[in-house]
Structure formats: C-alpha cells, structure tokens
C-alpha cells in the first residue's frame, strides 16, 4: 500500500487552504452564469422585490430593532420546511465577524432572507466575491449591503499599522492589509481616524464590488441590483446608510 511521505503531507496541508480559497470561489463564479439555468441551485422562485423595496425592508427592520419592536421574523417549523426546498434571499449582507454585529438581529430578518458573508473588517477576498456573485447571479438577490461598524477591531488594527507600523501574529497582518488604503484615505480627511476609516472601508469595499465584478456590473446595468455601504453604531443600534456608491 502506498503511503504519503511526511514531506508531501505537509506540502498538501500548506497548499490546501489556498486551493480551498480560490477553488471554492471559482466554482461559485462559474455557477453564477450557467448555460442551462440554475434549477439545482435555486429550485424556488426568486424574490420579486426590487432593489429599492429590499433596501426599505432593511431600513425598516433596523428601525424596529432600535425601537425594540416585537420581531415578526419567520423562523418556525413551516418556514424551515419551506426553505428545505430552496432559498430566495433578498439581500446580501457583507459584514464583520464581530459578535456584536449579528445581521438577522440588527435588521429583524428571519431564516432564508439574508445571504451573509462575514469576516473581520467586512473585506472581500476571492471566496467572498464568488459568494456574492453567486447570490446576485444565481439567486437573483437585488440588494448588496457592505456593513462596517463602530469600534471595529480589524479597522483599528489597520489604523495601528498606519500610525505605528504595528505588527500582528499569524496572518492577522495580511488580513488587515486590504483595509490600510481606507485608513490612508480617512487620514487625509482628518477627524476621528478610526470612525472615518470604518466608513471609508465600507464605502471602498462596496465601490469595488461595482467595478471589479462583471456579474454585479451586469446586474447594475440591468437595474436588478443595488450596492450600498453602511455603518452600524454599537451604542445606539442605528445604521447609517451610504447609498451614493
């Protein structure tokens, strides 16, 4: 029986993460524009909400959250059975991994309504971009929100890189590098650097989606999707919207 040598095994482990990152995104991007439809990926009817209607639902949901209105989100047995046949979300939420920023709660949404992509600093790498393209291109999602938040740790780390040339263990430094341009942009504007950087980062990521993704650009040209930036306040629960992307 053939045995893999230790050297080969270690090499495979090193390469596995990179292959998973780019391979998964490639599969999703390829699926986004299938020649024969996407019945297997989306066996139920897509949402009929317009981009404007979808954004209004998210705004209303945040207002209800702030006012502590009773949640009307559908999360029960009937909803679970309905979703077992397929999904038809109406919003892609690109957010931060921060435990205080749970999208369904902040916007009062239920199962199957939000297609969520989360990582520290709400940045978009290849895998995240492929996921967003899948939601827009295959599932027909009409709204993409890039949500930054008050006192974001990943953005604060990027601020430290700019101000003190800080270093971090592991790959944390690599993770915050894409945020550094947002910090430099905010620094040139003056004011509270961290909060300005949070807004700048959300806006830049949203803008990048509209310019670097052919799937999203096609949907924008067709008027079937809207991309906005946003900033969530931890202390007051308010979402500030940046729609002029």
């Amino acid at each position: 029986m053939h045995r893999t040598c230790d050297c080969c095994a270690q090499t495979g482990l090193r390469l596995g993460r990179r292959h998973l990152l780019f391979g998964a995104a490639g599969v999703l991007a390829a699926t986004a524009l299938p020649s024969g439809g996407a019945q297997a990926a989306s066996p139920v009817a897509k949402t009929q909400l317009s981009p404007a209607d979808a954004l209004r639902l998210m705004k209303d949901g945040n207002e209800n959250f702030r006012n502590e209105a009773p949640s009307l989100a559908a999360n029960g047995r009937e909803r679970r059975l309905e979703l077992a046949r397929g999904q038809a979300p109406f919003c892609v939420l690109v957010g931060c991994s921060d435990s205080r920023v749970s999208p369904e709660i902040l916007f009062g949404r239920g199962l199957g309504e939000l297609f969520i992509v989360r990582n520290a600093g709400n940045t978009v790498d290849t895998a995240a971009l492929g996921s967003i393209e899948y939601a827009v291109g295959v599932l027909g999602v009409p709204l993409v929100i890039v949500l930054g938040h008050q006192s974001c740790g990943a953005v604060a780390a990027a601020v430290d890189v700019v101000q003190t040339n800080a270093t971090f263990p592991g790959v944390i430094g690599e993770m915050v590098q894409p945020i550094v341009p947002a910090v430099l942009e905010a620094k040139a504007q003056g004011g509270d650097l961290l909060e300005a950087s949070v807004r700048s980062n959300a806006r830049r990521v949203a803008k990048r989606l509209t310019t670097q993704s052919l799937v999203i650009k096609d949907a924008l040209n067709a008027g079937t999707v809207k991309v906005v930036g946003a900033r969530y306040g931890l202390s007051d629960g308010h979402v500030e919207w940046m729609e002029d992307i």
Side-chain angles (χ1 to χ4, degrees):
M1 180 182 296
H2 174 71
R3 295 182 60 191
T4 303
C5 68
D6 292 342
C7 179
C8 292
Q10 292 171 2
T11 301
L13 287 173
R14 287 195 299 269
L15 295 176
R17 185 172 180 272
R18 179 180 292 271
H19 287 171
L20 177 61
L21 174 65
F22 291 99
V27 170
L28 287 169
T31 308
L33 297 173
S35 58
Q39 288 79 7
S42 182
V44 298
K46 299 173 183 178
T47 180
Q48 296 301 304
L49 290 173
S50 69
D53 290 339
L55 182 56
R56 172 48 55 191
L57 278 180
M58 295 297 280
K59 289 181 176 180
D60 290 346
N62 179 246
E63 284 300 310
N64 290 337
F65 167 72
R66 290 184 64 208
N67 296 323
E68 300 185 357
S71 175
L72 301 177
N75 293 313
R77 178 177 180 276
E78 290 186 6
R79 181 59 172 163
R80 293 198 307 271
L81 292 175
E82 178 186 2
L83 289 171
R85 298 193 297 270
Q87 62 173 322
F90 70 84
C91 176
V92 178
L93 196 293
V94 182
C96 183
S97 299
D98 194 297
S99 62
R100 301 165 292 181
V101 189
S102 299
E104 286 95 346
I105 296 176
L106 307 186
F107 295 98
R109 308 321 310 175
L111 288 173
E113 295 187 307
L114 304 184
F115 193 93
I116 299 172
V117 178
R118 296 181 70 180
N119 56 52
N122 48 271
T123 57
V124 172
D125 58 12
T126 303
L129 181 57
S131 299
I132 298 165
E133 289 184 337
Y134 174 82
V136 173
V138 175
L139 300 180
V141 176
L143 176 66
V144 180
I145 297 173
V146 179
L147 181 67
H149 69 90
Q150 177 185 9
S151 303
C152 178
V155 177
V159 170
D160 287 342
V161 169
V162 170
Q163 291 187 319
T164 67
N165 199 28
T167 59
F168 304 94
V171 297
I172 297 175
E174 295 178 34
M175 179 191 71
V176 302
Q177 277 301 312
I179 307 174
V180 168
V183 177
L184 295 173
E185 179 180 89
K187 187 176 182 180
Q189 298 170 356
D192 185 316
L193 183 56
L194 176 56
E195 290 308 310
S197 297
V198 166
R199 291 177 174 85
S200 175
N201 185 49
R203 187 184 295 276
R204 286 174 62 90
V205 172
K207 183 64 177 179
R208 178 193 167 202
L209 294 178
T210 69
T211 59
Q212 295 188 5
S213 167
L214 292 178
V215 173
I216 295 174
K217 286 174 69 174
D218 287 345
L220 285 169
N221 291 335
T224 57
V225 75
K226 182 177 180 64
V227 179
V228 304
R231 179 262 188 194
Y232 170 68
L234 297 176
S235 54
D236 61 12
H238 173 68
V239 171
E240 170 191 339
W241 299 96
M242 294 172 272
E243 300 182 42
D244 56 334
I245 300 301

